[in-house]
Amino acid sequence: VASYQPWASTSAARAVMQGNRSRDTKPELALRSAVHALGLRYRVASRPLAGVRLTADLVFRSAKVAVFVDGCFWHGCPVHSKQVITNSDYWTTKIRRNQRRDATFDDALRSEGWLPIRVWEHQAPSEVALLISKAVRDRRAH
Ligand SMILES: [Zn+2]
């Protein structure tokens, strides 16, 4: 029992080693293939805004849609992050900072005419893919 670790502590340790936003995570790959299956093409892990160090997980340049697959722990998913951060100011502070940065990036994207779409890594890839597809096609139509 002494060696018990909640999943987030290992996940958090891994994220620290890799930097907050890791690439090619399982949820990300699942979403990419679901979106691909709907006939949409996109850039992976590219920067939507010139001169801004901001990387989106899926970028639809012509539609100006940027998709971020946010890790439940690091970005403070209401379903999965609360239970593990209750007794940790350290993690809470880090997560809040990430959330503020996410909001700043979203504002920057919107001011350049982009639509930021944030999804949680726990969301069903097929449902998210439909949502993304609709947004991309709507914006291309206009
Ligand atoms: Zn979650």
Side-chain angles (χ1 to χ4, degrees):
V1 182
S3 65
Y4 169 77
Q5 282 194 314
W7 68 268
S9 59
T10 50
S11 171
R14 202 173 57 228
V16 166
M17 288 187 287
Q18 294 175 339
N20 283 3
R21 183 168 285 281
S22 53
R23 280 191 60 183
D24 297 338
T25 59
K26 244 185 209 168
E28 220 180 294
L29 292 173
L31 179 61
R32 264 155 44 186
S33 68
V35 170
H36 195 268
L38 294 175
L40 294 175
R41 299 297 174 259
Y42 47 83
R43 284 172 179 277
V44 173
S46 80
R47 293 179 181 176
L49 301 178
V52 180
R53 288 175 54 86
L54 155 68
T55 304
D57 295 315
L58 282 76
V59 174
F60 301 86
R61 198 160 282 284
S62 62
K64 286 193 155 188
V65 171
V67 177
F68 302 85
V69 182
D70 287 343
C72 289
F73 180 78
W74 279 110
H75 298 264
C77 158
V79 184
H80 298 109
S81 73
K82 277 207 176 99
Q83 65 231 31
V84 295
I85 62 169
T86 43
N87 51 8
S88 171
D89 287 348
Y90 175 75
W91 296 119
T92 307
T93 303
K94 277 191 169 301
I95 290 165
R96 293 261 162 77
R97 198 174 59 201
N98 283 341
Q99 288 176 323
R100 274 200 302 273
R101 196 172 51 191
D102 291 345
T104 303
F105 283 154
D106 287 354
D107 287 346
L109 284 163
R110 284 196 196 94
S111 71
E112 298 289 327
W114 284 73
L115 173 69
I117 296 180
R118 289 189 176 273
V119 301
W120 293 114
E121 63 180 356
H122 74 253
Q123 288 183 269
S126 54
E127 287 172 24
V128 173
L130 284 174
L131 187 147
I132 292 169
S133 164
K134 190 182 180 310
V136 169
R137 290 180 208 280
D138 279 358
R139 288 173 68 94
R140 278 184 187 154
H142 293 118

